[in-house]
Amino acid sequence: MIIKKILRVIFSFVLLALLGANSNSAAQEKLTVSYSSVDASTSIWYIAQEKDFYKKYRMDVESIFIPSTTTGTAVMIAGQIKFGSGTGGMIANAAVSGANLIAAGCFFNTLVYDLIVQESIKTKEQLKGKSIGISRIGSSSDVAARALLKGLALEPDKDVAVIQVGGSAERAAAFGAGKIAAFPATPGAVNLTKGMPYRVLTSTADSAKPYPFPHICPTTTKTYLAVNRPTVKKLLMALIDAAHFFRTHKDESKKLLAKYTRHNDEAYLDAAYNGAARMMERVPRVTREGMEIQLKEALARKPGMNLRVDDLIDDSVVSELDKEGFIDKLYKQ
């Protein structure tokens, strides 16, 4: 009789333990993340959602499209979203204003942009007095436009007006309508100009080495990372998995790119995919050199601040995942 009671008690404990285990395995951490572009370089954010990589790592994630890194950064600073896509420029500008944003990793550490101009513009002198279209001030297209113009010894805003137009498709449309004389284009975006005559006046690819710039960076605050490191680790695992998918599943990735950009032009999709796949980081650490450039420019606008590059970067979770063999295991599948 006593043995039966003991067995019943043991069975009850085992049953409760199993139920608790099942409950824990079913529970998924809820979070909202943001991304600011639908271009191929940013596709890992919606691929992670579409292919259930967040769920794979027990995350219930809602991805929100905020069509500007400037706005997305402001939302993160306000604490409304804890994790999202940022750039080195936005992180540096936020830091000199007192925000504690950091890049937790970076999937693109350079800018790959062509300077598309009207066919009649054959020299840099002919670009003077005209306008170049970007998405928004402080965005990666803004950084690219200014870098491309300076490479031609032209002064942004003084020699060439820098105008906010919108994303790649909007810039191509404005160019096709003759509203702007030039625009920085990511790989393939020029195919969206619908036959408008153009020429490539210069490209970041013309440089002796790639222009260093932390471009597509999983971004959060120092505070959030310190308190929620396991969560950040799972988010980065999902994004690294999405990057692996992008690099190894071209056709499916192009279909998702077409869905989110709402463009089915094969020349655009192919060029956009190839350009992004070539530059996407396998181990997404952050370029210190690129962040140094952005920090110097930000400090020049707000002198007196005492900041170092390491104040803006904490990619230790990426290093941890690399050391643990997580990334190598993905690519051996």
Side-chain angles (χ1 to χ4, degrees), residues 44-61:
I44 56 169
W45 292 88
Y46 50 81
I47 286 175
Q49 186 90 67
E50 291 273 351
K51 304 306 294 184
D52 289 336
F53 289 125
Y54 292 125
K55 290 182 180 178
K56 178 178 177 180
Y57 300 103
R58 295 176 60 193
M59 302 285 290
D60 182 4
V61 173

Side-chain angles (χ1 to χ4, degrees), residues 79-95:
Q80 295 170 302
I81 289 177
K82 307 298 184 184
F83 194 87
S85 182
T87 69
M90 295 312 304
I91 293 168
N93 288 328

Side-chain angles (χ1 to χ4, degrees), residues 27 40 44 80 102 107 135 152 191 193 204 220 228 249 313-314:
I44 56 169
Q80 295 170 302
I102 51 98
F107 286 89
S135 59
L152 294 171
N191 296 107
T193 57
T204 55
T220 187
N228 299 277
H249 295 76
I313 298 172
D314 188 344

Side-chain angles (χ1 to χ4, degrees), residues 110-229:
T110 186
L111 286 172
V112 184
Y113 278 87
D114 296 327
L115 181 58
I116 307 301
V117 300
Q118 293 171 352
E119 192 179 35
S120 59
I121 298 175
K122 296 179 173 61
T123 66
K124 63 182 184 180
E125 287 76 17
Q126 292 176 313
L127 191 56
K128 281 188 176 182
K130 295 183 172 61
S131 60
I132 182 171
I134 62 166
S135 59
R136 294 202 181 193
I137 299 297
S139 66
S140 55
S141 62
D142 181 30
V143 174
R146 294 172 189 278
L148 288 163
L149 290 173
K150 288 177 182 177
L152 294 171
L154 295 172
E155 191 64 32
D157 299 315
K158 181 181 178 181
D159 295 328
V160 181
V162 180
I163 299 175
Q164 297 181 101
V165 175
S168 295
E170 289 79 11
R171 295 198 296 275
F175 180 84
K179 294 179 181 179
I180 54 175
F183 71 102
T186 53
V190 71
N191 296 107
L192 304 178
T193 57
K194 304 300 181 186
M196 177 79 176
Y198 71 90
R199 70 173 61 250
V200 177
L201 190 60
T202 187
S203 172
T204 55
D206 294 336
S207 303
K209 69 172 187 174
Y211 181 80
F213 179 71
H215 189 189
I216 308 299
C217 304
T219 303
T220 187
T221 63
K222 293 178 185 177
T223 305
Y224 188 79
L225 176 58
V227 178
N228 299 277
R229 189 178 178 89

